Amino acid sequence: MEEKKRYKVYRTIMLIVLVTFVTFMLTSIGFYQYFVKGDSLNKYLTLMTSDESQDISQTIDTYRAVIDKYYLGEIDEQSLKEGAIKGYIEGLNDPYTEYISKEDMEDYMEDTMGNFVGIGIYMIEDTETNQIMVLSPIKGSPAEKAGIQPGDYIVSVNGETCTADDMTVISTKIKGEEGTTVKLQILRGEETLNFEITRENIIVNPVEGEVLENHIGYIAFSSFDENTADEFKTKFEELQAQGITSLIIDLRNNGGGIVDEALQIAGYIADKDSVLLYEVDKDNKETVEKNESNPIINMPVIILTNENTASSSEILAGALKDLGKAKIVGTTTYGKGVIQQILTLPDGSGLKITTEKYLTPNRTEINEIGIKPDEIVELPESVENVLNVDRNQDTQLQKAIEMLTE
């Protein structure tokens, strides 16, 4: 009896084991057929991972075959194309080289030239936080009237969250037809603010000037746009007519712009035939930029800089410092010592691409280094925002005035 019972238990166990084994085999065969048999996904994955000799076009073709065979959703050919190009360019890991779609190209060029319909703000990338920061609202612009302040972070546009990676796209979304509105969510310190701002035709006139104490002229501007050099000259002549005997050029928080505009302003101060800039391409071929005109500014000059002084601003500051035509006061500049060109492609899209590095007249490289001032002056710790400093706390400006008064 006991033996019969044990035999029954044994049969039951064997049956369970047999069923389990059969189930495993069927499952294994099923997975084998899914992953290995014939024209399968694994075939494509193996091709993509094992053949390192494939060039980019072959690799994309392989991925496309997988998408065509397995992707459930609809395929937007243009989006795929633009995504592929954008990702390819981003693979350079150059923060200054970027693909610009055909739709964004016109707006991008308008921004570069300083004419557009929008709310009137200068934006920069905060690389530490990967956020878009307002460098400054343009004077008299809808943004300034609405209360947008330097140092504000743009969190979202029309409800769409954004980061510094979306800079070009967000710039386009902020702009639009005159009279329409755009909604911005702003982070100011720990406070989140919401704005709805009406777009206007923005007339950019970034060059501002005034006469300070002791007949000192003061000129400031936020970028080098088309005609900035002419506006600088006009402003200087206005101040000169008011009897200034020295000049402060405030390049703090100036993110740069058109190189030729910076060189033209340098030419107002440097001697004729002076070397203003060396441009060096990937083959180490040098282009020398020289001043072709006689100077119109023959007086002591001090340039104010800070960590947001970048690109064309550094070209101007570096040239005048090396040539002994200006003293630099403030803090070390940003350190963008490379130059980009904007190329229009046959399909109407664009590529902003780093093509050259530049050297100051003393052949000094500044990329990722910056320009060290002659007089290093920090702002007081009580200053919360370097983009918006009260005159009574502006130790850098005060130092420049003191040096020109001695």
Side-chain angles (χ1 to χ4, degrees):
M1 187 75 178
E2 181 66 27
E3 218 173 281
K4 217 169 177 187
K5 186 176 178 184
R6 283 165 55 190
Y7 176 71
K8 200 170 178 183
V9 170
Y10 175 77
R11 283 183 60 196
T12 304
I13 293 171
M14 287 303 296
L15 186 60
I16 293 170
V17 170
L18 185 60
V19 169
T20 304
F21 178 73
V22 170
T23 303
F24 170 76
M25 286 299 295
L26 290 173
T27 305
S28 298
I29 292 168
F31 276 110
Y32 172 81
Q33 288 177 334
Y34 183 76
F35 283 115
V36 178
K37 184 182 177 184
D39 194 19
S40 68
L41 180 60
N42 192 63
K43 171 185 171 183
Y44 296 115
L45 295 176
T46 302
L47 280 170
M48 288 187 283
T49 56
S50 64
D51 189 357
E52 295 181 0
S53 66
Q54 276 194 341
D55 62 24
I56 183 64
S57 61
Q58 291 172 316
T59 302
I60 289 176
D61 286 345
T62 305
Y63 273 99
R64 180 55 191 261
V66 175
I67 291 169
D68 286 342
K69 185 170 181 63
Y70 293 101
Y71 181 60
L72 178 63
E74 292 193 17
I75 298 172
D76 184 326
E77 296 292 344
Q78 187 62 26
S79 293
L80 275 180
K81 176 184 172 184
E82 291 188 357
I85 297 170
K86 186 177 180 182
Y88 190 65
I89 299 303
E90 286 178 352
L92 294 171
N93 294 318
D94 177 3
Y96 310 119
T97 296
E98 63 177 315
Y99 167 75
I100 307 163
S101 70
K102 178 181 178 180
E103 292 72 24
D104 294 335
M105 190 62 176
E106 184 177 346
D107 289 335
Y108 192 92
M109 293 305 295
E110 285 179 354
D111 277 357
T112 302
M113 298 307 171
N115 304 298
F116 55 90
V117 173
I119 63 173
I121 54 173
Y122 292 109
M123 304 182 301
I124 59 172
E125 299 178 20
D126 187 328
T127 53
E128 291 185 6
T129 63
N130 195 34
Q131 290 178 294
I132 299 172
M133 184 173 69
V134 176
L135 185 61
S136 66
I138 295 171
K139 190 173 182 180
S141 68
E144 185 187 53
K145 293 172 186 174
I148 300 293
Q149 297 180 9
D152 284 348
Y153 286 103
I154 300 175
V155 178
S156 70
V157 177
N158 290 331
E160 183 179 331
T161 303
C162 55
T163 67
D165 296 331
D166 311 313
M167 185 80 143
T168 302
V169 174
I170 291 303
S171 175
T172 302
K173 289 183 181 298
I174 290 175
K175 292 176 296 186
E177 293 184 13
E178 188 172 7
T180 60
T181 61
V182 60
K183 294 179 180 179
L184 300 184
Q185 188 173 79
I186 296 293
L187 182 64
R188 184 178 297 163
E190 296 182 356
E191 186 180 11
T192 300
L193 304 170
N194 293 293
F195 295 85
E196 185 168 353
I197 306 173
T198 301
R199 299 179 176 99
E200 295 179 8
N201 184 37
I202 306 298
I203 301 173
V204 181
N205 183 15
V207 181
E208 299 179 84
E210 61 181 292
V211 179
L212 305 177
E213 59 195 81
N214 300 313
H215 308 291
I216 298 171
Y218 172 85
I219 294 179
F221 48 102
S222 301
S223 66
F224 291 83
D225 301 315
E226 190 176 37
N227 299 321
T228 294
D230 290 340
E231 292 169 11
F232 178 95
K233 181 181 178 183
T234 299
K235 186 60 64 177
F236 170 75
E237 289 171 344
E238 288 175 7
L239 300 179
Q240 187 179 38
Q242 296 175 55
I244 64 169
T245 56
S246 58
L247 179 65
I248 295 171
I249 303 174
D250 194 343
L251 296 181
R252 293 176 298 180
N253 308 315
N254 186 316
I258 302 173
V259 172
D260 286 345
E261 298 292 319
L263 293 175
Q264 192 173 334
I265 293 174
Y268 296 151
I269 303 169
D271 294 333
K272 187 176 181 180
D273 297 324
S274 296
V275 172
L276 302 176
L277 181 72
Y278 293 101
E279 298 172 354
V280 185
D281 69 13
K282 65 182 298 181
D283 298 319
N284 285 321
K285 180 183 176 182
E286 282 190 353
T287 300
V288 183
E289 299 287 350
K290 290 187 176 183
N291 184 24
E292 298 178 352
S293 58
N294 291 313
I296 62 171
I297 299 176
N298 297 293
M299 59 180 64
V301 175
I302 287 180
I303 295 176
L304 298 179
T305 64
N306 67 3
E307 59 272 25
N308 296 322
T309 302
S311 190
S312 296
S313 296
E314 294 173 289
I315 288 175
L316 176 57
L320 296 181
K321 179 186 179 184
D322 281 6
L323 295 172
K325 294 297 182 179
K327 295 288 185 184
I328 312 295
V329 173
T331 55
T332 301
T333 61
Y334 182 84
K336 181 181 182 290
V338 288
I339 298 172
Q340 287 73 44
Q341 290 185 24
I342 300 175
L343 308 177
T344 302
L345 304 179
D347 66 354
S349 63
L351 181 64
K352 186 179 79 169
I353 183 169
T354 300
T355 56
E356 296 161 309
K357 66 178 179 180
Y358 66 78
L359 310 177
T360 66
N362 288 346
R363 295 185 178 278
T364 302
E365 288 201 37
I366 68 165
N367 197 46
E368 299 183 352
I369 300 170
I371 298 172
K372 186 177 179 181
D374 298 288
E375 293 283 341
I376 297 177
V377 181
E378 301 280 353
L379 292 171
E381 291 184 3
S382 57
V383 173
E384 296 181 356
N385 186 351
V386 297
L387 301 172
N388 192 14
V389 183
D390 291 333
R391 283 283 172 91
N392 59 5
Q393 291 185 296
D394 195 343
T395 50
Q396 295 165 344
L397 178 59
Q398 290 165 9
K399 180 62 178 178
I401 293 172
E402 176 190 318
M403 290 171 63
L404 292 172
T405 306
E406 291 175 350

